[in-house]
Amino acid sequence: MNDWRLKYDPLPMLLSSENSAIQYFAKRDLLGEQVGDVQLLWDLSEAHKILKKQKTDGSWPRSGKQKHAAINYGLIETWRQFRFLVEKYEFTRENPQVEKAAEYLFSC
């Protein structure tokens, strides 16, 4: 039988994090606390910073020079930003901007 206990308890570090999303998920997923609706995370400044750069077609622009014309850099950047929103802040299609991004991704 394996002993899965950690040498050091990560909870104090996670709970004292300055990242509100980390605190939220540690309390909800590790401690089983009632922490409110996940949509609270959608209002975090970090999430808004990502959403602010979204284009009207649902994509995100790639920063920097495009090196190869055959590569859809907008698709790559949109997938990257979409993934951050879903993985870090649990965005769903209930958010109109994320729904628009999903539509863009599937259109490609």
Side-chain angles (χ1 to χ4, degrees), residues 24 28 33-40:
Y24 177 93
R28 186 191 76 181
E33 293 182 11
Q34 296 294 322
V35 290
D37 193 2
V38 74
Q39 290 182 358
L40 294 169

Side-chain angles (χ1 to χ4, degrees), residues 23-70:
Q23 289 180 14
Y24 177 93
F25 292 122
K27 289 176 183 177
R28 186 191 76 181
D29 299 341
L30 300 176
L31 297 176
E33 293 182 11
Q34 296 294 322
V35 290
D37 193 2
V38 74
Q39 290 182 358
L40 294 169
L41 300 180
W42 300 2
D43 290 329
L44 294 176
S45 62
E46 298 90 350
H48 279 277
K49 188 176 179 181
I50 294 170
L51 292 170
K52 182 173 67 173
K53 296 177 182 175
Q54 187 180 25
K55 294 168 49 176
T56 57
D57 68 354
S59 69
W60 274 266
R62 180 184 187 269
S63 58
K65 187 177 177 183
Q66 297 196 14
K67 299 177 182 178
H68 304 284

Side-chain angles (χ1 to χ4, degrees), residues 54 58 82 92-104:
Q54 187 180 25
F82 181 82
T92 67
R93 67 179 182 194
E94 291 178 28
N95 179 283
Q97 285 180 268
V98 169
E99 183 176 16
K100 189 79 172 169
E103 288 174 11
Y104 174 82

